[in-house]
Amino acid sequence: MAGFVDVLLRGLILVLSSAVLGGVAWTRLILQAAPDAKPRPATALALRVVAAAAGLAVIAQGATMAVALGALAGSHGHWPVALYLDTTVARTALARMAIGVVTAVLALRLAQRPAGRVAWLALTVAACALTASSAALSHAVARVDDRALLMALDATHQIAAALWVGGLLHLVVAASTGVITRPDSEDVSAVVRRFSALALPSVATLVVAGAALAWVYVGDLGALVGTAYGIMILSKVALLAAALALAYANFRFVRRAAAAPGVPLFRFVEVELGLVITVLFAAASLTSLPPGVDVTTDRATVAEVASRFTPTVPRLSSPPIDELLAAADPLMARQVERKPVERAWSEYNHHWAGFFVLTMGVLAALERLGVRRARHWPLVFLGLAAFLFVRNDPRAWPLGPAGFWESLMLPDVLQHRGFVAIIVAFGVFEWMVRTGRLPARPWAFVFPLLCAVGGGLLLTHSHAMFNLKEEFLTEVTHAPLGILGAFAGWGRWLELRLPEAGRGPGWFWIACLSAVGALLLVYREG
């Protein structure tokens, strides 16, 4: 449980620190805010967002400390505060919290009234320190060789990412609130061109530094495919490639844009921002994984990974629940072996889930082709949710002896229940929108947002298992499922936000949804 929550908090901190540093760069380099001048509406808004993000980052960093102390309390019988505060992790976290407070105070001060160059310089230094200090919590600290170089690379990687992601966030905020499209504001095309000029070198630096870190931490092509760390790197690359494709489309649009506000541009930027936020959460999950170069004895082979994606006849019959309960370890005990009956149970669940999802993909395609009755396809989500709720965790309520609340103490059970809740929300809101029971705005956006969130959660999903290799092989299919889920969500978002894009985004997300079903149908655990 602690590890899963820690990953989510780390991902949130990455997003918030990006909003801080990217916001400072946005005000100084893009909006060209001048020292000693009264803040313009766009500048004041950006600085308020910076202050809010810095404050939330302080809270999230404090929460990571509470999670760590809670995990230590389980083994010590009490909260070993003094012992924990003597660690590099705790001292770095406290320093980051102090930096965050200073950043928030400075940003609020600058948003309210004019200030000189010293105040602006202090804000810039604090924002850079908040972002770069995350390198002290990375794998670089634990390396024996080239520690300083790796920490410098990591800090550079983080700063470049923050400038790009944070700038995108502030561009979306400014466009959605209208502060850069008002008649009395600066030419919006000039603002966007300046952001493109900043984003291009930031992305280039991000890619170069990231490639160097991946080379060190992955080591070879075998680790890239045969370890969880390597697969997560590939997932980041896939998501980043999609975001860069949108960024390239935005760049070309900016070069062609006239002085009029570019509404289509902002729609693409929203999707670009969503994808890179997912990348940040995937990056946060890397901190919980051992670098691929260090995984030698428990590394999977390319053939073993490929076998998990090899099509087989779906398993349509389930082992009896009594047989599984008799063979499986108690739910709250540590698994020492993955029993064949457990594998069979899990494969049955995944294969039937695949039928549910593939059915939805086919019905969604029929609706798009004009079959009116097929618009009820989201109700299939409710059947899928009921199926998964009963069968996901057979040793927990309602099938097993472990109680409902007791079983939620295990991270994989909690994540499964969370996915079921998301699936229910998928079905209810999308069906009510498609049948006219809810207005399309804003309720139509629930489905794509939950798709994107669900895809991101799949990238951080984990099973507590007895063997690192077995755990990896069980979860290796989660990466493409998470990527497809994110693509489906943002494809649907683009369909809603940019009707002039035609039918392409609609068919794209339907294809991604159908591909999720097809992947589930070939799921294997042995």
Side-chain angles (χ1 to χ4, degrees), residues 27 40-54 107-108 111-112 170 179:
T27 57
R40 292 176 295 174
T43 301
L45 173 63
L47 289 170
R48 287 195 296 270
V49 172
V50 168
L108 283 177
Q112 293 169 353
H170 283 270
V179 295

Side-chain angles (χ1 to χ4, degrees), residues 34-39 109-116 119-120:
D36 299 316
K38 181 182 178 181
R109 164 71 173 78
L110 291 170
Q112 293 169 353
R113 52 188 181 274
W120 279 101

Side-chain angles (χ1 to χ4, degrees), residues 266-291:
F266 298 135
R267 302 298 181 256
F268 279 114
V269 170
E270 291 170 355
V271 178
E272 184 183 345
L273 174 62
L275 287 172
V276 293
I277 286 177
T278 306
V279 172
L280 290 183
F281 276 91
S285 71
L286 286 174
T287 62
S288 66
L289 299 171

Side-chain angles (χ1 to χ4, degrees), residues 135 140 147-157 209:
R147 181 182 301 168
L149 175 60
L150 290 174
M151 289 185 66
L153 274 174
D154 195 284
T156 302
H157 186 65

Side-chain angles (χ1 to χ4, degrees), residues 116-409:
R117 295 183 181 276
V118 174
W120 279 101
L121 178 61
L123 177 63
T124 303
V125 171
C128 288
L130 181 64
T131 300
S133 59
S134 64
L137 300 174
S138 68
H139 286 301
V141 179
R143 310 310 290 181
V144 176
D145 299 323
D146 301 320
R147 181 182 301 168
L149 175 60
L150 290 174
M151 289 185 66
L153 274 174
D154 195 284
T156 302
H157 186 65
Q158 299 280 359
I159 289 174
L163 291 173
W164 179 32
V165 179
L168 285 172
L169 187 149
H170 283 270
L171 177 58
V172 169
V173 170
S176 61
T177 57
V179 295
I180 62 171
T181 57
R182 292 166 43 173
D184 59 342
S185 64
E186 184 183 2
D187 174 18
V188 66
S189 295
V191 171
V192 176
R193 281 196 296 271
R194 285 198 292 268
F195 171 69
S196 294
L198 173 65
L200 187 60
S202 298
V203 170
T205 303
L206 167 73
V207 170
V208 172
L213 289 169
W215 177 267
V216 173
Y217 290 137
V218 176
D220 57 72
L221 293 178
L224 192 63
V225 177
T227 66
Y229 194 95
I231 290 296
M232 192 57 63
I233 291 290
L234 293 177
S235 301
K236 283 183 61 181
V237 169
L239 291 165
L240 186 61
L244 289 178
L246 285 170
Y248 178 70
N250 292 337
F251 178 74
R252 295 193 61 183
F253 182 89
V254 169
R255 295 188 66 177
R256 298 194 307 266
V263 174
L265 167 67
F266 298 135
R267 302 298 181 256
F268 279 114
V269 170
E270 291 170 355
V271 178
E272 184 183 345
L273 174 62
L275 287 172
V276 293
I277 286 177
T278 306
V279 172
L280 290 183
F281 276 91
S285 71
L286 286 174
T287 62
S288 66
L289 299 171
V293 70
D294 296 334
V295 178
T296 54
T297 58
D298 287 330
R299 183 183 297 186
T301 66
V302 175
E304 287 173 323
V305 174
S307 69
R308 298 303 170 105
F309 295 94
T310 303
T312 58
V313 177
R315 185 185 294 272
L316 303 180
S317 60
S318 171
I321 182 62
D322 292 340
E323 179 183 343
L324 184 141
L325 292 176
D329 298 316
L331 180 66
M332 305 308 290
R334 181 174 177 82
Q335 278 191 295
V336 296
E337 183 183 358
R338 185 76 165 169
K339 309 295 193 307
V341 66
E342 293 177 288
R343 300 180 189 276
W345 184 278
S346 179
E347 288 179 356
Y348 174 88
N349 290 354
H350 283 82
H351 294 164
W352 273 103
F355 278 118
F356 277 107
V357 176
L358 199 55
T359 298
M360 286 186 281
V362 171
L363 291 175
L366 289 175
E367 180 195 16
R368 193 156 188 81
L369 291 172
V371 180
R372 180 171 172 76
R373 290 190 177 183
R375 73 187 189 282
H376 298 290
W377 65 264
L379 292 178
V380 181
F381 272 123
L382 302 184
L384 173 62
F387 173 80
L388 294 178
F389 181 81
V390 172
R391 292 190 56 91
N392 260 345
D393 303 288
R395 295 171 294 169
W397 187 89
L399 295 180
F404 177 79
W405 297 109
E406 176 191 11
S407 63
L408 292 182
M409 297 304 295

